Amino acid sequence: MKIIVLKDNKPIDQITIEGDSARIGRRSDCDISIKDPAVSGNHASLQCVGGKVIITDEGSTNGIYIGGKRVKQQVLRHEDVVTIGEHMLKFLIADSPAGRSKAPLPGAAKDVKPSSGPGKAVLNVVQGSKKGTVIALDEGLTTIGEPGVQVAAVSRRPQGHFIIHVDGGKDKDRVPLVNGEPIGFKSRKLEQGDRIEVAGIVLEYDAS
């Protein structure tokens, strides 16, 4: 299970959870430590039970929210976005033993919408099994690639669209290519006509 941590609609970290349980909170010994005054020391927990991932509020002050609704306990789906304090956690669990089957991405985080940003933009799949597919970049975060193989994310910011490495599958150092060059582990701003290669798929950025 992979978790993308966002603040102000920008991905700031990505975390891998390999066990059957994890703790989320402000304390440094939590598996997912979030330095946010609105986050309780031991805010929430994750449990993998019977092939499902369950998030539970552990009596936090400010709660956990999914789709704008406060929840005490809920089964998470692939690409669910959970709001905790001023942060959001996007769950990529399709490649997890406790998750769903390995369905190809892309998919969009429907709950992450910036208040402002660039104009309309798309990714056109120009090579690979999904050739001809057009992916709209209307949401705050759009994931591309294939879980368990290679995953990247494109975030929508006021300055434009930025791509960031999420998961390299078995090769943790495998990062996406833009115009044939590795992007490394920092976000990179996309320019008109840039070609992205991730999980054997080639996509062209079009913001015209």
Side-chain angles (χ1 to χ4, degrees), residues 24-145:
I24 305 170
R26 197 174 66 251
R27 291 171 51 177
S28 59
D29 61 347
C30 287
D31 301 285
I32 304 169
S33 180
I34 303 174
K35 303 306 180 185
D36 180 342
V39 175
S40 298
N42 187 31
H43 198 104
S45 64
L46 298 171
Q47 294 284 337
C48 299
V49 181
K52 299 181 184 299
V53 179
I54 302 170
I55 189 167
T56 303
D57 186 335
E58 297 293 340
S60 68
T61 301
N62 294 311
I64 56 177
Y65 293 81
I66 301 177
K69 296 181 179 180
R70 186 167 181 168
V71 300
K72 173 62 179 175
Q73 186 177 77
Q74 185 160 315
V75 175
L76 295 174
R77 298 174 299 174
H78 179 57
E79 294 201 324
D80 268 351
V81 176
V82 177
T83 300
I84 297 179
E86 296 183 358
H87 291 69
M88 288 177 285
L89 308 178
K90 181 174 181 179
F91 288 81
L92 304 179
I93 55 180
D95 62 331
S96 166
R100 310 295 190 269
S101 61
K102 293 183 179 179
L105 296 175
K110 300 300 182 184
D111 296 312
V112 186
K113 296 183 180 180
S115 57
S116 62
K120 294 287 185 180
V122 299
L123 292 175
N124 296 304
V125 181
V126 295
Q127 291 182 31
S129 60
K130 298 293 183 178
K131 183 177 180 179
T133 300
V134 178
I135 304 161
L137 299 175
D138 297 333
E139 306 296 334
L141 191 74
T142 303
T143 48
I144 55 176

